[in-house]
Amino acid sequence: MHLVSARLVIATLAVLIAVQDRAAARGRSERRIESIETRTAGDPVLAIVSLQRQRITIYDADGWILRAPVSSGQRGRETPAGVFSVIQKEAEHYSNLYDDAFMPHMQRLTWSGIALHGGVVPGYPASHGCVRMPFDFAERLFDLTRTGLRVIVAPTDAAPAEITHPLLFQPKPGAAAEALARKAEEDEATRKADQAKLAAGTAYRAAMQATVPARTAENLKARAEAQLAAAETALASASTAEARQSAEDAKAAAAAKVSELQAQADAAKAELQPKQEALAAAREAAAAAETVRAAAAEATRLAARAREPVSVLISRKTQRLYVRQGFEPVFDAPITISDADRPIGTYVFTAAARENEADTIRWNVVALAGSHGHDARESGVTAKHGRDTEPLTHEAIAREADGATAALDRISIPQDVLDRIPGTPPRSSVIVTDEAPSTETGKGTDFVVVLSDEPQGGIKFRHREPATEHSYGYARGYGYSRPRPVFWGTQYRAPFSTW
């Protein structure tokens, strides 16, 4: 009995110590959360996770707005470095891989299970591949973001730098105004369709009301005609003068009643006819208004889709340009990168716009150290995370922008391909990389690029969820005259997806 009591006490103390340690770790982590105070923060357009610094930084169109410590994947289950986006959000999520572990405010990056979520942040890599954030920060970030947010997982330190280049696209002029105009037209068409439906409903009720006296008169006339037929039968079978006279009187009365009811039925039908014609016209008008409304809604949808962020991926490995919009493939086409055997690096260009600048965007670029075409040591960062480095300086960021410009200078895109790229509204992106699209790119994702020279344990240990496992390739409908071979997916693999 004493032994059982002792065990209970020890177990209770262990739980209390664990809770206190967790609370202490959580408190230490959340005290390091930073937010911009010199200006009003805008909507997030980019998130950068530094594996080396174990930190996540959130950017709006004008710079950073939030920072917090993170805990990425431990050795052997590293969080893969590369380019991702938020493809799903769940406020309450439980892992289907690790004993139903609670992953609050989960923002999924891959269908194989890499995600941002709230958790214990001890100050070093400790997860199974996900990026843990302080609980309060994860909740705050969850409320600010939306699916499609670009998330860059950088091996070392990284920060965006403004850049201009002729190859970085601009929105189609008037796209925002056109979207507003299409929405206004849809609203007007919807209003007219609703009015037409109300008019059709009013005409229907009026016709139904007019139908009642017409049906009543027809029913009464039918009964009178039956009485007239009975009187005629009685007259034909009358055997006495008295019976014959009675039958004739009944026949005369029935005939008069039929004539009276016929007049009533004719009058009711005459009143019903215009109401039926009005109902037919109202229904036709309602159908026409609904057709106009549906067309306006489709035009609004297309205009809104044109305002959705466009993602362009340019791969040195495949010498192709790929375009996606709204998590769906648009087309891909061959392009030329000069000195094709020389690395070009991995750069992520993001379009951002300040408020009231819907038709004018500014581009920034983030360089992922470790796969640059120039020596990463020149910028003061090391190629692998987990080593001590100095903070990324303005001079180093400027050099990275110069490297990005040099990378863009090596790319030649045919004019007909440029003409097919949709307008690039804010939050659009261009990814220039040595890599091919990852096999994680597929149904319900934006482009996923994983750096092949960085640890990928967090992906290698995971498998796609069955509900979202799809082979994914371009076929007819995306600008080809014949089906294209599948170049990513989990069932079929092409030469470009070999890691």
Side-chain angles (χ1 to χ4, degrees):
M1 188 68 179
H2 291 294
L3 181 59
V4 172
S5 300
R7 286 177 177 174
L8 287 174
V9 170
I10 292 171
T12 302
L13 287 174
V15 170
L16 289 174
I17 291 171
V19 170
Q20 289 173 353
D21 287 346
R22 176 172 173 172
R26 177 173 171 176
R28 288 193 300 271
S29 296
E30 295 184 354
R31 280 196 296 271
R32 290 178 285 163
I33 294 173
E34 301 176 68
S35 59
I36 192 72
E37 296 178 353
T38 58
R39 61 180 177 84
T40 301
D43 293 334
V45 297
L46 178 68
I48 299 178
V49 176
S50 170
L51 296 175
Q52 189 275 327
R53 294 200 172 277
Q54 292 291 284
R55 183 176 71 181
I56 184 171
T57 306
I58 312 301
Y59 296 86
D60 66 5
D62 295 307
W64 78 274
I65 55 175
L66 290 170
R67 288 193 185 116
V70 300
S71 183
S72 61
Q74 59 190 275
R75 184 179 297 275
R77 296 181 181 272
E78 294 89 351
T79 302
V83 185
F84 307 88
S85 61
V86 174
I87 58 177
Q88 184 189 48
K89 297 177 62 173
E90 285 187 6
E92 293 188 17
H93 181 77
Y94 293 85
S95 173
N96 59 0
L97 295 176
Y98 302 110
D99 300 323
D100 209 32
F102 186 38
M103 301 163 62
H105 301 102
M106 185 274 293
Q107 302 193 56
R108 184 185 296 277
L109 303 183
T110 72
W111 289 121
S112 61
I114 304 298
L116 310 172
H117 64 81
V120 176
V121 181
Y124 51 84
S127 79
H128 287 89
C130 288
V131 176
R132 296 183 197 162
M133 304 176 291
F135 290 99
D136 290 351
F137 181 85
E139 180 178 7
R140 180 178 179 182
L141 184 63
F142 188 91
D143 292 337
L144 292 176
T145 62
R146 49 184 170 178
T147 55
L149 175 72
R150 178 67 68 203
V151 179
I152 298 172
V153 179
T156 56
D157 208 359
E162 287 202 27
I163 186 172
T164 59
H165 194 278
L167 204 61
L168 296 174
F169 322 107
Q170 287 294 320
K172 291 184 176 179
E178 181 180 357
L180 291 174
R182 297 293 83 78
K183 186 62 173 67
E185 290 175 1
E186 181 190 6
D187 292 343
E188 178 63 14
T190 300
R191 184 184 66 80
K192 290 182 177 179
D194 290 341
Q195 289 180 342
K197 288 178 183 178
L198 288 174
T202 300
Y204 174 79
R205 288 190 294 273
M208 290 302 98
Q209 291 174 355
T211 299
V212 173
R215 287 181 177 175
T216 301
E218 286 290 340
N219 291 335
L220 292 176
K221 189 185 77 164
R223 291 163 64 181
E225 287 174 341
Q227 292 174 355
L228 176 59
E232 289 176 341
T233 300
L235 179 60
S237 62
S239 57
T240 64
E242 182 179 356
R244 188 178 298 107
Q245 184 61 49
S246 176
E248 288 178 350
D249 292 342
K251 178 183 177 181
K257 189 64 173 178
V258 168
S259 178
E260 177 186 351
L261 291 173
Q262 182 64 58
Q264 292 179 8
D266 291 343
K269 288 180 180 179
E271 185 176 349
L272 174 61
Q273 183 64 27
K275 291 181 170 56
Q276 289 179 328
E277 293 174 352
L279 174 59
R283 283 177 169 171
E284 184 177 347
E290 177 59 24
T291 299
V292 172
R293 186 208 62 76
E298 177 63 10
T300 300
R301 187 189 70 80
L302 293 176
R305 178 172 173 76
R307 294 287 298 158
E308 289 183 4
V310 174
S311 294
V312 177
L313 186 146
I314 298 172
S315 168
R316 183 183 66 87
K317 189 171 187 178
T318 67
Q319 291 284 303
R320 296 190 76 83
L321 172 149
Y322 308 89
V323 181
R324 293 174 75 89
Q325 188 173 31
F327 290 178
E328 295 291 340
V330 179
F331 75 93
D332 74 317
I335 49 91
T336 302
I337 298 179
S338 62
D339 298 328
D341 294 333
R342 179 164 60 92
I344 197 170
T346 295
Y347 299 93
V348 182
F349 303 85
T350 305
R354 293 189 176 95
E355 192 174 356
N356 301 322
E357 292 183 0
D359 286 331
T360 303
I361 57 175
R362 296 171 294 116
W363 287 90
N364 62 56
V365 61
V366 176
L368 273 69
S371 61
H372 293 175
H374 65 283
D375 190 343
R377 288 172 296 180
E378 294 180 2
S379 62
V381 296
T382 57
K384 302 293 181 182
H385 57 276
R387 303 177 186 174
D388 293 333
T389 64
E390 294 299 320
L392 196 61
T393 64
H394 292 295
E395 292 77 10
I397 295 173
R399 283 196 294 271
E400 301 291 10
D402 292 340
T405 299
L408 292 174
D409 288 340
R410 292 172 57 188
I411 300 169
S412 298
I413 304 176
Q415 188 59 48
D416 64 315
V417 175
L418 289 172
D419 293 340
R420 293 170 60 192
I421 297 175
T424 49
R427 299 164 62 87
S428 295
S429 62
V430 175
I431 304 169
V432 176
T433 180
D434 291 307
E435 315 289 350
S438 168
T439 55
E440 291 287 344
T441 301
K443 188 175 178 63
T445 77
D446 204 327
F447 289 116
V448 177
V449 174
V450 177
L451 301 188
S452 56
D453 58 350
E454 292 291 329
Q456 300 170 30
I459 282 184
K460 288 182 177 179
F461 277 94
R462 296 165 182 257
H463 301 283
R464 285 178 178 269
E465 295 182 356
T468 54
E469 185 170 0
H470 302 276
S471 62
Y472 209 77
Y474 294 130
R476 285 189 176 90
Y478 298 117
Y480 296 110
S481 58
R482 60 186 175 85
R484 300 294 299 180
V486 176
F487 58 84
W488 58 60
T490 57
Q491 293 178 319
Y492 311 99
R493 297 183 186 274
F496 302 140
S497 342
T498 57
W499 59 79

